[in-house]
Amino acid sequence: MDCGRIMRSGLGHNAGLAMTLPIDEARLWASLHELAAIGQYRDEDTGLLGVNRLALTDADAAGRRQVMRWFEQVGLAVRVDRIGNVYGRRSGLDDSLAPVLTGSHIDSVPTAGAFDGCLGVLGGLEVCRALDAAKVVTRRPIEVCFFTDEEGCRFGTDMLGSAVACGRLPLELAWSLVDRDGIAVKNELARIGFLGEVNERIGPPHAYVELHIEQGPVLAAEGFELGVVTGVQAISWQELTIVGKSAHAGTTPMHLRRDAGFAAARIHVQLHEMIASGRYGAEMRATMGRLELAPNRVNVVPGRVLCTVDLRNPDDARMADAERDVAAYWRSLAEELRVSIEARHTARTASVTFSAEVQAVIAGHLRDAGVRHRHILSGAGHDAQEFAAICPTAMIFVPGEHDGISHNPREYSTAAACARGARALGSTILTLAS
Ligand code: HGY
Ligand code: MN
Ligand code: MN
């Protein structure tokens, strides 16, 4: 990436168009909410309308088809690869050149809002519409994409499609992953009609830029309008299978129990105590998002538990320390409670640093346009972290309302903030593709 040449040539900020691309705020907002209506549900806790488009379900398939229709309406050449990733290509003056990619995901967690992932895909689509309106053809082709199962919460590992595209996960492994009902990725891709033929491994793009909501409180709390993302923290997902002995809740004395549920509870408390100790840095986060007791009946001591441990840490060494220490803890706990504990890593990515050059292009546009911005590390995983391994990559964050809550139907950002993010995305793409 010879950003220096682009910057020196003055094309760096396409002064004529910097942050003035005719992004249509209302059209972007309407597309976000039209997509959010697919897989919609009424959240019983908040009473709000949320989004449930788990990867490769019928709802995800319907969302995929809607976005593909929009891609085709804008004249993008659409292709589907063998892991179900979808690419919409906008020709450039020289189509032999490596494209600039932008995109994200449209699969969601079961309690999602309208923005996570979708803003990046529909923001990229809006950039193509704005370039058409401005009658701009870039030197390089541009591709807008969405990747399969970024969330990872149906088939167990996150960034599935982008990890396969960028070579971190082999296709066969990805195809073989199964959900809680034993249904495999490959079967679901075939069932919903997204088992494409295009080779899933892509040649290195010229650059990759992703627009996403921050999903945290920082930008709004500090009064910034956009964030230039410096990278992503380390992620560790483990699935624990704890086996004790089911027993009668009334007749079994406490000292004779081998209570798998109590073991899971002790591990959960230990995680919070480890964080409170500060030994793993102030940013360490731990979540036991999944906890399934068996036989899950009021009068039976749980004989078996499946639970998950999600650890996040910006520092790789401290993440390794935390994984080592919590494993040592549950090994000793297994002895103490006379249960067996087996752990399986289902996702593990080191911290990722994004391209300084691409960050500089983004920041340059924001500075030129007087947009209040700061550099910020991403607390959440993103498809961009996979592309950072194969090409210059960075992200743009849009602030969220309500403390930036996400993975909750209350997730919200304003139409103006989304359009501002899309303008920044468009200007960055214009620079990188010129
Ligand atoms: O879990 C994550 O960080 C992302 O939402 N997949
Ligand atoms: Mn996301
Ligand atoms: Mn998410």
Side-chain angles (χ1 to χ4, degrees), residues 11-127:
L11 273 178
H13 298 316
N14 301 88
L17 274 170
M19 295 299 281
T20 58
L21 267 178
I23 295 291
D24 185 320
E25 177 178 313
R27 183 172 58 193
L28 174 57
W29 191 250
S31 64
L32 276 164
H33 287 81
E34 203 170 327
L35 184 53
I38 301 174
Q40 191 171 79
Y41 79 102
R42 175 76 61 185
D43 188 82
E44 58 182 327
D45 298 332
T46 63
L48 296 173
L49 287 175
V51 174
N52 177 4
R53 273 199 314 268
L54 266 184
L56 307 185
T57 56
D58 291 340
D60 186 28
R64 285 165 163 263
R65 290 199 166 80
Q66 174 59 67
V67 176
M68 285 168 75
R69 277 192 294 276
W70 284 328
F71 279 7
E72 283 147 7
Q73 280 168 14
V74 177
L76 302 183
V78 178
R79 66 184 193 275
V80 182
D81 74 12
R82 295 193 297 180
I83 191 63
N85 294 327
V86 178
Y87 297 83
R89 184 181 176 90
R90 184 180 195 265
S91 279
L93 295 171
D94 181 351
D95 277 343
S96 68
L97 294 173
V100 171
L101 257 61
T102 187
S104 191
H105 62 95
I106 63 166
D107 67 286
S108 82
V109 296
T111 56
F115 303 85
D116 182 357
C118 303
L119 177 59
V121 180
L122 300 182
L125 175 65
E126 181 55 33
V127 165

Side-chain angles (χ1 to χ4, degrees), residues 65 75 78 105 108 113 118 124 141 163 176 214 268 272 287 306 384 407:
R65 290 199 166 80
V78 178
H105 62 95
S108 82
C118 303
S176 69
E214 177 201 340
H268 202 173
H272 283 249
T287 310
L306 185 146
H407 288 189

Side-chain angles (χ1 to χ4, degrees), residues 321-332:
D321 290 346
E323 288 183 311
R324 182 199 58 225
D325 294 352
V326 73
Y329 174 80
W330 67 54
R331 277 197 297 275
S332 75

Side-chain angles (χ1 to χ4, degrees), residues 176-308:
S176 69
L177 296 178
V178 295
D179 69 0
R180 299 175 182 184
D181 303 320
I183 299 171
V185 165
K186 188 173 185 179
N187 298 48
E188 283 295 82
L189 283 169
R191 184 183 68 81
I192 64 170
F194 279 88
L195 182 59
E197 266 118 47
V198 170
N199 189 302
E200 63 289 346
R201 289 298 306 276
I202 54 171
H206 179 63
Y208 176 91
V209 196
E210 178 169 349
L211 177 65
H212 205 288
I213 48 168
E214 177 201 340
Q215 300 177 292
V218 174
L219 294 176
E222 297 178 3
F224 292 105
E225 293 172 298
L226 288 178
V228 180
V229 188
T230 57
V232 179
Q233 64 179 341
I235 300 174
S236 163
W237 289 359
Q238 295 183 75
E239 211 172 74
L240 303 187
T241 302
I242 305 172
V243 179
K245 185 176 69 179
S246 57
H248 194 297
T251 59
T252 313
M254 299 309 276
H255 71 281
L256 292 182
R257 294 180 182 209
R258 293 168 51 201
D259 185 338
F262 182 50
R266 289 275 299 273
I267 292 167
H268 202 173
V269 170
Q270 175 66 10
L271 288 168
H272 283 249
E273 287 177 359
M274 284 167 66
I275 290 172
S277 76
R279 278 197 307 278
Y280 308 93
E283 305 295 308
M284 174 79 188
R285 290 169 186 154
T287 310
M288 188 175 280
R290 189 176 174 194
L291 175 61
E292 291 169 13
L293 306 178
N296 208 21
R297 295 295 169 192
V298 61
N299 57 353
V300 182
V301 175
R304 171 182 277 265
V305 164
L306 185 146
C307 62
T308 54

